[in-house]
Amino acid sequence: QVQLQESGPGLVKPSETLSLTCTVSGGSISSYYWSWIRQPPGKGLEWIGYIYYSGSTNYNPSLKSRVTISVDTSKNQFSLKLSSVTAADTAVYYCARHVSKVGAVGRGYFDYWGQGTLVTVSS
Amino acid sequence: QSALTQPRSVSGSPGQSVTISCTGTSSDVGGYNYVSWYQQHPGKAPKLMIYDVSKRPSGVPDRFSGSKSGNTASLTISGLQAEDEADYYCCSYAGSYIYVVFGGGTKLTVL
């Protein structure tokens, strides 16, 4: 059974960089796309971006200028960095596995999710 | 404002059926058969219920079914049970620039 676990600071100051890591257990990070999705308190889901285990990435155009997603296959982990954060970036951040054919990123679905971690942006 | 439009809330009595709609455009829902549905209980992570418009993952009851007509996808839950009370989100592929869009979510209340 694949399990995902987010980790990182729960409080980030405005204008700083939010950094989170997702550790994948129960399966290899290889041969799948991995994603970050967030949910502001009381609101809906917003896709942030994907990374393939090879390192190729695709980002939500609305966040692209501030987002970096990276992967460490040796640790079975992938990470999110979101720069220049504001209060609007306060949300529960989820990592998830995306199932789609190679080269067909996005043409699929999210089958495994982490439990989510709340990140609050405040001074 | 979410890219896909869902009703804010729906309700039904135990045993009844409810349908949740998800309306997009020809650039997302209407253009591809990559619509998925997620159930989210309070404080929990979303759970995949339907993928590729109408396919059910292993372990999801056959009371849950999905369909699509034009730019609108639908999730139907038959034989409502108390544990079905949750928020439901639709999701669609939206082309090779936007990639993924979610609906705003629908709160299902089992009366």
Side-chain angles (χ1 to χ4, degrees):
Chain A
Q1 176 79 346
V2 174
Q3 293 185 314
L4 293 81
Q5 179 68 57
E6 304 89 350
S7 59
L11 181 64
V12 181
K13 289 182 168 56
S15 80
E16 295 190 345
T17 296
L18 177 160
S19 295
L20 296 174
T21 295
C22 182
T23 300
V24 179
S25 59
S28 173
I29 204 167
S30 299
S31 303
Y32 285 99
Y33 292 93
W34 303 90
S35 195
W36 289 98
I37 296 160
R38 70 180 183 178
Q39 184 172 35
K43 296 188 178 180
L45 300 166
E46 180 181 34
W47 172 71
I48 298 171
Y50 292 119
I51 189 163
Y52 192 49
Y53 78 101
S54 62
S56 64
T57 54
N58 302 94
Y59 299 134
N60 183 326
S62 69
L63 298 169
K64 187 173 184 177
S65 63
R66 299 192 293 129
V67 173
T68 302
I69 298 177
S70 59
V71 65
D72 186 338
T73 54
S74 67
K75 295 182 179 179
N76 241 29
Q77 295 177 334
F78 62 105
S79 298
L80 169 71
K81 290 188 185 299
L82 181 65
S83 64
S84 305
V85 298
T86 69
D89 295 310
T90 293
V92 174
Y93 285 76
Y94 295 100
C95 56
R97 189 177 81 171
H98 189 262
V99 179
S100 62
K101 295 178 182 178
V102 177
V105 60
R107 298 176 185 247
Y109 50 93
F110 303 100
D111 64 345
Y112 289 102
W113 296 65
Q115 66 185 26
T117 187
L118 174 63
V119 178
T120 301
V121 179
S122 175
S123 55
Chain B
Q1 186 173 356
S2 301
L4 304 179
T5 301
Q6 298 181 235
R8 280 188 172 269
S9 63
V10 297
S11 62
S13 299
Q16 289 186 333
S17 294
V18 295
T19 295
I20 300 171
S21 61
C22 170
T23 301
T25 69
S26 58
S27 296
D28 39 62
V29 174
Y32 310 95
N33 289 321
Y34 296 108
V35 176
S36 51
W37 289 90
Y38 302 87
Q39 176 192 65
Q40 186 179 36
H41 287 109
K44 300 295 187 181
K47 174 187 175 184
L48 176 68
M49 304 302 285
I50 295 288
Y51 67 98
D52 294 354
V53 176
S54 60
K55 297 177 182 176
R56 258 189 328 273
S58 173
V60 172
D62 60 6
R63 302 184 295 105
F64 291 83
S65 62
S67 62
K68 190 185 84 167
S69 177
N71 296 336
T72 298
S74 299
L75 173 71
T76 298
I77 310 170
S78 59
L80 269 179
Q81 299 182 5
E83 59 261 36
D84 298 334
E85 186 163 292
D87 293 326
Y88 291 85
Y89 292 90
C90 61
C91 177
S92 175
Y93 177 64
S96 58
Y97 176 67
I98 298 175
Y99 290 103
V100 175
V101 289
F102 282 98
T106 297
K107 181 176 180 58
L108 168 63
T109 301
V110 181
L111 302 170

